[in-house]
Amino acid sequence: MTYHLDTLAIHADYGVTDDKTVAPSINYSAVFRADSPEEFIEMSEVPQHPRNYTRYGNPGHERIKAILAEFEGTETALVMGSGMGAISSSILSFVKAGDHVIGQTRHYMSTSRILDEMLRSFGVEITLVDQADAQAFIDAIRPNTRLITLETPSNPMLAITDIEAVTRVAREKGILTLADNTLATPFNQRPHDLGVDIVVQSATKYLGGHHDLTAGVVCTSKELAARIWKTHITLGSVLSPMDSWLLLRGLRTFPMRMNRVNQNGLSLAQTLEAHPKVQRVLYPGLASHPQHELAKRQMKGFGGIVSFMIDGDYDTASRFVSLLKLPVNAPSLGGVDSLVIHAAAMWAGTLTPEQMKTAGIPVNLVRYAIGIEHSDDINADILQALDQL
Ligand SMILES: *Cc1c(COP(=O)(O)O)cnc(C)c1O
């Protein structure tokens, strides 16, 4: 019997650990004991053993892995101490000096650093392409191309990558594909169904959903997971027992939250688009999004990130953010509370004006990361702030 996501969020980890509690226990032990020499050998020899040493595995990790593999439709999953732990362990498992990697010009900033700075310094060749141009990925393929990294929608510009167009060619040529599914989440998009080999996510965002933990997830085949796990235990991005318990707790309501997030996101995008003081709204669920048809094809819903340009300059956008009463002015996304940022202000510290231009982040861009408050309240707050501009 196949269950819906809502049911899997509650039941997919049943019986995975044998502690006989209804609610999961927090397994706050870094080390686990063997009751016999045979058991000790088993603990030492079995990869990802849930009761050996917490860097290798923990009963809390096992439960999350069971749920996430079902969510993404993969054979198995791995958990890490952060989204970047998941991304770095996955990339570093498969590339070596002399290999070629194709990525997007717009990736999560730390992912861009792995590709553009770290891998280049290790002697890996890198080509970064415009994600909206599927042919550009294919044209960039070389005989030594080992990996293609995808991320869709991108943040904060909400550009879409045609996942299937890229994976079809990559599969034919034996090139691995990795997709960061953090913004869409498995509620809205299942990259593995579209041919992606390795799906990574920051569970710090929608999966955890409460802005109170840092975690990462890798969903893939057993074969690839075995290699990524070896890199992971070497690099040591371990998910703590407390954060794995919080993540499990967050996962129970993940489908309900995403349902609301999708509704709130679309409603906010429509409200903004109808307002004369807003120049442009970027949201894949709007018919005005240049890749709306593609988004509809590969996504079930369009998520909670709404980016928009206020009619005005840097200062107008800055003032608009300070006039909002409901959302918190903070980075990150994906939790129950709405967060808002003036994009140029957030990235000013880390990107040079040149890089901002290349990344295509306009000075009047506001990124709203919607929470699960009532849509009418979110929209009314937006309107009162716009009216004061
Ligand atoms: C936040 C984020 C990450 C990094 O996740 P951490 O849990 O902060 O390490 C990676 N990719 C995307 C798209 C993100 O939003």
Side-chain angles (χ1 to χ4, degrees):
M1 186 154 151
T2 53
Y3 290 124
H4 294 87
L5 217 66
D6 310 66
T7 311
L8 291 169
I10 316 290
H11 291 283
D13 60 321
Y14 254 46
V16 166
T17 56
D18 56 6
D19 39 15
K20 300 222 186 245
T21 56
V22 174
S25 316
I26 308 178
N27 286 277
Y28 242 118
S29 188
V31 206
F32 293 83
R33 100 175 172 254
D35 288 335
S36 66
E38 293 74 25
E39 194 181 359
F40 185 77
I41 289 170
E42 189 209 317
M43 278 163 49
S44 313
E45 286 185 345
V46 174
Q48 302 175 48
H49 197 291
R51 281 192 183 74
N52 175 18
Y53 188 66
T54 286
R55 177 153 50 83
Y56 292 19
N58 179 282
H61 296 175
E62 285 307 294
R63 284 176 172 257
I64 297 163
K65 284 157 61 176
I67 297 173
L68 263 297
E70 290 285 350
F71 276 7
E72 294 282 4
T74 53
E75 270 180 9
T76 189
L78 298 168
V79 288
M80 318 277 175
S82 69
M84 285 321 301
I87 293 166
S88 58
S89 300
S90 299
I91 294 176
L92 295 172
S93 294
F94 300 103
V95 292
K96 58 179 190 321
D99 286 344
H100 175 237
V101 175
I102 302 168
Q104 304 180 174
T105 47
R106 287 172 184 154
H107 268 302
Y108 183 72
M109 196 192 305
S110 303
T111 306
S112 292
R113 286 221 179 103
I114 294 181
L115 300 176
D116 218 17
E117 295 177 23
M118 195 182 272
L119 289 189
R120 264 191 221 282
S121 76
F122 292 168
V124 178
E125 299 166 23
I126 307 290
T127 308
L128 302 177
V129 300
D130 174 5
Q131 74 185 91
D133 181 1
Q135 190 60 38
F137 289 89
I138 294 155
D139 292 344
I141 293 173
R142 300 177 189 170
N144 58 338
T145 305
R146 178 74 180 121
L147 176 74
I148 301 178
T149 58
L150 310 171
E151 181 177 333
T152 178
S154 65
N155 181 14
M157 299 306 285
L158 286 311
I160 308 292
T161 312
D162 187 337
I163 299 176
E164 236 175 346
V166 177
T167 59
R168 206 178 304 127
V169 178
R171 285 241 156 134
E172 267 171 32
K173 296 186 182 282
I175 300 165
L176 283 175
T177 50
L178 174 147
D180 183 334
N181 203 30
T182 303
L183 254 63
T185 82
F187 189 84
N188 287 328
Q189 172 174 282
R190 297 223 308 180
H192 180 67
D193 291 348
L194 301 168
V196 170
D197 300 303
I198 304 159
V199 183
V200 292
Q201 276 200 78
S202 168
T204 311
K205 314 292 169 56
Y206 293 106
L207 295 175
H210 295 75
H211 303 304
D212 58 4
L213 65 91
T214 304
V217 185
V218 179
C219 295
T220 186
S221 66
K222 285 184 178 157
E223 191 190 337
L224 298 179
R227 290 190 54 174
I228 298 168
W229 180 75
K230 270 195 181 168
T231 311
H232 156 62
I233 60 165
T234 310
L235 297 179
S237 170
V238 184
L239 180 60
S240 79
M242 185 68 205
D243 278 9
S244 54
W245 186 85
L246 284 168
L247 177 52
L248 262 177
R249 174 134 191 164
L251 282 171
R252 307 300 186 200
T253 55
F254 162 75
M256 287 172 69
R257 286 186 283 104
M258 284 312 294
N259 212 6
R260 172 63 78 92
V261 160
N262 282 345
Q263 289 168 7
N264 284 358
L266 185 59
S267 173
L268 174 64
Q270 288 166 342
T271 302
L272 286 162
E273 194 166 50
H275 202 284
K277 285 181 183 164
V278 178
Q279 260 175 20
R280 190 166 166 215
V281 185
L282 305 172
Y283 186 71
L286 291 176
S288 60
H289 189 286
Q291 296 170 290
H292 179 58
E293 290 307 315
L294 168 61
K296 273 201 298 194
R297 216 181 324 131
Q298 66 185 21
M299 301 176 80
K300 283 202 207 118
F302 306 103
I305 305 299
V306 184
S307 293
F308 50 101
M309 282 92 119
I310 293 289
D311 192 15
D313 55 12
Y314 184 100
D315 292 335
T316 325
S318 183
R319 200 154 64 81
F320 170 75
V321 167
S322 65
L323 288 167
L324 291 168
K325 295 193 175 116
L326 218 146
V328 184
N329 186 193
S332 198
L333 55 106
V336 290
D337 354 39
S338 289
L339 307 178
V340 70
I341 53 150
H342 176 201
M346 174 156 130
W347 278 289
T350 38
L351 296 183
T352 63
E354 294 297 274
Q355 286 173 320
M356 291 274 288
K357 228 182 203 157
T358 317
I361 300 171
V363 291
N364 57 346
L365 187 84
V366 175
R367 186 195 71 187
Y368 204 111
I370 219 149
I372 61 166
E373 300 93 341
H374 198 289
S375 180
D376 292 350
D377 298 330
I378 293 170
N379 295 342
D381 181 44
I382 284 279
L383 293 175
Q384 67 77 27
L386 286 170
D387 287 347
Q388 290 187 64
L389 286 182

